[in-house]
């Protein structure tokens, strides 16, 4: 089953950019389709592969930070080719 995941990682400290950049670099190095915008990163792929990957990526980020929020939205379908028609 294909899924689309929107992620936002929010470290709760003054030096928040480096952990976000490392998290995005880890996502980019994956086998999945990754799209980015200024507010979030989207991951597209098969549910059974994406979810364990995201668990490991989030665990690694959480272990390196004292305070962090991760916001995740999951849609059942591959929306990577979405183009607004308005």
């Amino acid at each position: 089953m294909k899924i689309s995941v929107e992620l936002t990682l929010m470290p709760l400290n003054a030096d928040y950019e480096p952990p976000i950049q490392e998290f995005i670099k880890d996502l980019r190095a994956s086998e999945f389709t990754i799209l980015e915008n200024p507010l979030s990163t989207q991951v597209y792929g098969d549910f059974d592969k994406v979810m364990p990957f995201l668990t490991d990526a989030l665990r690694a980020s959480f272990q390196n930070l004292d305070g962090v929020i991760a916001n995740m939205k999951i849609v059942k379908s591959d929306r990577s080719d979405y183009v607004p028609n308005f």
Side-chain angles (χ1 to χ4, degrees), residues 10-82:
M10 298 170 281
L12 302 175
N13 58 41
D15 193 23
Y16 60 89
E17 286 183 353
I20 293 171
Q21 292 168 345
E22 286 304 312
F23 183 70
I24 292 172
K25 287 177 185 177
D26 289 344
L27 297 179
R28 286 178 183 165
S30 73
E31 65 184 272
F32 308 109
T33 300
I34 307 295
L35 299 177
E36 303 164 26
N37 66 52
L39 299 176
S40 65
T41 303
Q42 293 82 40
V43 180
Y44 304 92
D46 184 74
F47 181 92
D48 291 330
K49 293 181 180 181
V50 170
M51 295 308 290
F53 168 75
L54 291 178
T55 298
D56 292 342
L58 286 167
R59 180 182 295 113
S61 289
F62 280 28
Q63 287 176 338
N64 293 325
L65 297 167
D66 290 332
V68 62
I69 298 170
N71 186 349
M72 181 179 351
K73 299 175 190 174
I74 306 170
V75 176
K76 181 186 171 187
S77 70
D78 184 333
R79 305 283 293 162
S80 61
D81 60 354
Y82 172 75

